Amino acid sequence: MTDDANARIDAVVKNNAVVLFMKGTPLFPQCGFSSRAIAILERLGVDFESVDVLQDQGIRQGIKAYSDWPTIPQLYVNGEFVGGSDIMMEMYESGELAELFAGTAAAE
């Protein structure tokens, strides 16, 4: 990963309470996993920043190194990596994700 990509990723993660690195946009997700992640966040009424990794190859590859996680989407809350869509779904179903958001400024 380039230093530039790492710095850009780090800035987005640290300057937003909730960030989803995804394929596509919230209105037009480009994969089923990103679509599921968006649906979960919308169901919980969470304000979030999204980053379309398809628009920047440096970010697309860099985010995998940044989190040491091989897949996209990736969710960050309060600067901490939470996981991908499968982990988000498990946490949503158990109520853990709602609890996590209850402690952020992103909860409505």
Side-chain angles (χ1 to χ4, degrees):
M1 167 172 45
T2 67
D3 289 341
D4 177 55
N6 189 56
R8 288 185 292 143
I9 292 167
D10 200 49
V12 171
V13 168
K14 290 181 176 169
N15 292 318
N16 295 280
V18 180
V19 181
L20 183 67
F21 288 85
M22 63 179 291
K23 292 179 180 175
T25 66
L27 289 177
F28 296 103
Q30 297 295 307
C31 78
F33 297 110
S34 290
S35 181
R36 179 166 55 173
I38 292 296
I40 291 168
L41 294 174
E42 288 178 349
R43 175 68 84 124
L44 292 172
V46 175
D47 288 331
F48 64 95
E49 182 69 28
S50 67
V51 176
D52 181 359
V53 301
L54 299 177
Q55 298 300 314
D56 186 323
Q57 211 41 37
I59 298 292
R60 185 176 186 175
Q61 295 307 316
I63 193 62
K64 296 173 186 178
Y66 185 85
S67 63
D68 196 26
W69 190 260
T71 59
I72 296 165
Q74 294 186 13
L75 178 67
Y76 290 79
V77 177
N78 294 328
E80 298 292 323
F81 176 63
V82 174
S85 66
D86 290 345
I87 291 172
M88 287 176 67
M89 181 59 88
E90 289 172 16
M91 291 178 72
Y92 173 73
E93 290 173 345
S94 72
E96 285 179 85
L97 202 55
E99 289 175 24
L100 179 64
F101 290 129
T104 72
E108 289 183 27

Short mmCIF file of all heavy atoms in Angstrom, two decimals, residues 73-97:
data_model
loop_
_atom_site.label_atom_id
_atom_site.label_comp_id
_atom_site.label_asym_id
_atom_site.label_seq_id
_atom_site.Cartn_x
_atom_site.Cartn_y
_atom_site.Cartn_z
N PRO A 73 -17.23 -5.39 1.70
CA PRO A 73 -17.13 -4.15 2.46
C PRO A 73 -16.42 -4.31 3.80
O PRO A 73 -16.26 -5.44 4.30
CB PRO A 73 -18.60 -3.76 2.68
CG PRO A 73 -19.32 -5.07 2.72
CD PRO A 73 -18.60 -5.94 1.72
N GLN A 74 -16.04 -3.15 4.35
CA GLN A 74 -15.42 -3.10 5.67
C GLN A 74 -16.04 -1.94 6.44
O GLN A 74 -16.12 -0.82 5.93
CB GLN A 74 -13.92 -2.88 5.57
CG GLN A 74 -13.19 -4.05 4.95
CD GLN A 74 -11.69 -3.88 4.98
OE1 GLN A 74 -11.16 -3.03 5.66
NE2 GLN A 74 -10.99 -4.70 4.21
N LEU A 75 -16.45 -2.23 7.67
CA LEU A 75 -17.08 -1.22 8.51
C LEU A 75 -16.13 -0.80 9.63
O LEU A 75 -15.53 -1.65 10.29
CB LEU A 75 -18.36 -1.80 9.14
CG LEU A 75 -19.11 -0.87 10.10
CD1 LEU A 75 -19.71 0.32 9.35
CD2 LEU A 75 -20.20 -1.66 10.84
N TYR A 76 -16.04 0.52 9.84
CA TYR A 76 -15.26 1.10 10.93
C TYR A 76 -16.18 1.95 11.78
O TYR A 76 -16.99 2.72 11.25
CB TYR A 76 -14.13 1.98 10.39
CG TYR A 76 -13.05 1.19 9.72
CD1 TYR A 76 -13.20 0.72 8.42
CD2 TYR A 76 -11.87 0.88 10.39
CE1 TYR A 76 -12.21 -0.03 7.81
CE2 TYR A 76 -10.88 0.12 9.79
CZ TYR A 76 -11.06 -0.33 8.50
OH TYR A 76 -10.08 -1.08 7.90
N VAL A 77 -16.08 1.80 13.09
CA VAL A 77 -16.87 2.60 14.03
C VAL A 77 -15.92 3.20 15.05
O VAL A 77 -15.15 2.47 15.68
CB VAL A 77 -17.95 1.75 14.73
CG1 VAL A 77 -18.72 2.58 15.74
CG2 VAL A 77 -18.90 1.14 13.70
N ASN A 78 -15.98 4.51 15.18
CA ASN A 78 -15.10 5.23 16.10
C ASN A 78 -13.63 4.86 15.90
O ASN A 78 -12.88 4.66 16.85
CB ASN A 78 -15.52 5.00 17.56
CG ASN A 78 -16.88 5.60 17.85
OD1 ASN A 78 -17.25 6.62 17.28
ND2 ASN A 78 -17.62 4.96 18.72
N GLY A 79 -13.22 4.75 14.64
CA GLY A 79 -11.83 4.48 14.31
C GLY A 79 -11.40 3.03 14.42
O GLY A 79 -10.27 2.69 14.13
N GLU A 80 -12.32 2.15 14.81
CA GLU A 80 -12.00 0.74 14.99
C GLU A 80 -12.65 -0.11 13.91
O GLU A 80 -13.81 0.08 13.56
CB GLU A 80 -12.49 0.24 16.36
CG GLU A 80 -11.87 0.94 17.54
CD GLU A 80 -10.39 0.61 17.71
OE1 GLU A 80 -10.01 -0.55 17.46
OE2 GLU A 80 -9.63 1.52 18.07
N PHE A 81 -11.90 -1.08 13.39
CA PHE A 81 -12.43 -2.00 12.40
C PHE A 81 -13.43 -2.95 13.07
O PHE A 81 -13.12 -3.56 14.10
CB PHE A 81 -11.28 -2.80 11.77
CG PHE A 81 -11.74 -3.86 10.80
CD1 PHE A 81 -12.41 -3.52 9.65
CD2 PHE A 81 -11.47 -5.19 11.05
CE1 PHE A 81 -12.83 -4.49 8.75
CE2 PHE A 81 -11.87 -6.17 10.16
CZ PHE A 81 -12.55 -5.82 9.02
N VAL A 82 -14.62 -3.05 12.50
CA VAL A 82 -15.66 -3.94 13.04
C VAL A 82 -15.68 -5.25 12.27
O VAL A 82 -15.68 -6.32 12.86
CB VAL A 82 -17.05 -3.26 13.00
CG1 VAL A 82 -18.14 -4.23 13.43
CG2 VAL A 82 -17.04 -2.01 13.87
N GLY A 83 -15.73 -5.17 10.93
CA GLY A 83 -15.75 -6.38 10.13
C GLY A 83 -16.44 -6.16 8.81
O GLY A 83 -16.77 -5.03 8.44
N GLY A 84 -16.69 -7.26 8.11
CA GLY A 84 -17.37 -7.23 6.83
C GLY A 84 -18.85 -7.51 6.99
O GLY A 84 -19.39 -7.51 8.10
N SER A 85 -19.53 -7.78 5.89
CA SER A 85 -20.98 -7.92 5.94
C SER A 85 -21.44 -9.13 6.74
O SER A 85 -22.49 -9.06 7.40
CB SER A 85 -21.58 -7.96 4.53
OG SER A 85 -21.17 -9.10 3.83
N ASP A 86 -20.69 -10.23 6.73
CA ASP A 86 -21.09 -11.40 7.52
C ASP A 86 -21.04 -11.09 9.01
O ASP A 86 -21.96 -11.42 9.77
CB ASP A 86 -20.21 -12.60 7.21
CG ASP A 86 -20.45 -13.17 5.82
OD1 ASP A 86 -21.48 -12.83 5.20
OD2 ASP A 86 -19.61 -13.96 5.35
N ILE A 87 -19.98 -10.43 9.44
CA ILE A 87 -19.86 -10.06 10.85
C ILE A 87 -20.92 -9.03 11.21
O ILE A 87 -21.54 -9.11 12.28
CB ILE A 87 -18.44 -9.54 11.16
CG1 ILE A 87 -17.45 -10.71 11.07
CG2 ILE A 87 -18.37 -8.86 12.52
CD1 ILE A 87 -16.00 -10.33 11.15
N MET A 88 -21.16 -8.08 10.30
CA MET A 88 -22.21 -7.09 10.55
C MET A 88 -23.56 -7.78 10.74
O MET A 88 -24.32 -7.42 11.63
CB MET A 88 -22.30 -6.11 9.38
CG MET A 88 -21.17 -5.12 9.30
SD MET A 88 -21.28 -4.06 7.83
CE MET A 88 -22.76 -3.10 8.20
N MET A 89 -23.85 -8.78 9.90
CA MET A 89 -25.13 -9.49 10.00
C MET A 89 -25.24 -10.23 11.33
O MET A 89 -26.28 -10.17 12.00
CB MET A 89 -25.31 -10.46 8.83
CG MET A 89 -26.63 -11.20 8.87
SD MET A 89 -28.07 -10.11 8.83
CE MET A 89 -28.30 -9.94 7.10
N GLU A 90 -24.19 -10.92 11.72
CA GLU A 90 -24.20 -11.63 13.00
C GLU A 90 -24.41 -10.66 14.16
O GLU A 90 -25.20 -10.93 15.08
CB GLU A 90 -22.88 -12.39 13.21
CG GLU A 90 -22.71 -13.59 12.31
CD GLU A 90 -21.32 -14.20 12.41
OE1 GLU A 90 -20.59 -13.90 13.37
OE2 GLU A 90 -20.97 -14.98 11.50
N MET A 91 -23.70 -9.53 14.12
CA MET A 91 -23.83 -8.53 15.19
C MET A 91 -25.21 -7.87 15.17
O MET A 91 -25.76 -7.57 16.23
CB MET A 91 -22.73 -7.47 15.06
CG MET A 91 -21.34 -8.00 15.37
SD MET A 91 -20.07 -6.75 15.15
CE MET A 91 -20.38 -5.69 16.58
N TYR A 92 -25.76 -7.67 13.99
CA TYR A 92 -27.10 -7.10 13.87
C TYR A 92 -28.13 -8.05 14.49
O TYR A 92 -28.98 -7.64 15.29
CB TYR A 92 -27.44 -6.83 12.41
CG TYR A 92 -28.86 -6.40 12.18
CD1 TYR A 92 -29.29 -5.13 12.54
CD2 TYR A 92 -29.79 -7.28 11.61
CE1 TYR A 92 -30.61 -4.74 12.35
CE2 TYR A 92 -31.09 -6.90 11.41
CZ TYR A 92 -31.50 -5.63 11.77
OH TYR A 92 -32.81 -5.25 11.58
N GLU A 93 -28.04 -9.32 14.12
CA GLU A 93 -29.01 -10.31 14.62
C GLU A 93 -28.92 -10.50 16.13
O GLU A 93 -29.92 -10.76 16.78
CB GLU A 93 -28.81 -11.64 13.89
CG GLU A 93 -29.25 -11.57 12.44
CD GLU A 93 -28.92 -12.81 11.63
OE1 GLU A 93 -28.09 -13.64 12.09
OE2 GLU A 93 -29.50 -12.96 10.54
N SER A 94 -27.72 -10.37 16.70
CA SER A 94 -27.56 -10.55 18.14
C SER A 94 -27.86 -9.28 18.94
O SER A 94 -27.93 -9.32 20.16
CB SER A 94 -26.13 -11.01 18.46
OG SER A 94 -25.22 -9.93 18.29
N GLY A 95 -27.99 -8.15 18.24
CA GLY A 95 -28.22 -6.88 18.92
C GLY A 95 -26.93 -6.13 19.25
O GLY A 95 -26.97 -4.99 19.72
N GLU A 96 -25.78 -6.77 19.01
CA GLU A 96 -24.50 -6.14 19.33
C GLU A 96 -24.24 -4.88 18.50
O GLU A 96 -23.67 -3.91 18.99
CB GLU A 96 -23.34 -7.11 19.07
CG GLU A 96 -23.16 -8.19 20.09
CD GLU A 96 -22.00 -9.08 19.70
OE1 GLU A 96 -20.85 -8.72 20.04
OE2 GLU A 96 -22.24 -10.11 19.04
N LEU A 97 -24.65 -4.90 17.25
CA LEU A 97 -24.39 -3.76 16.38
C LEU A 97 -25.20 -2.54 16.84
O LEU A 97 -24.66 -1.43 16.89
CB LEU A 97 -24.71 -4.11 14.92
CG LEU A 97 -24.04 -3.27 13.86
CD1 LEU A 97 -22.52 -3.25 14.01
CD2 LEU A 97 -24.41 -3.78 12.47
#
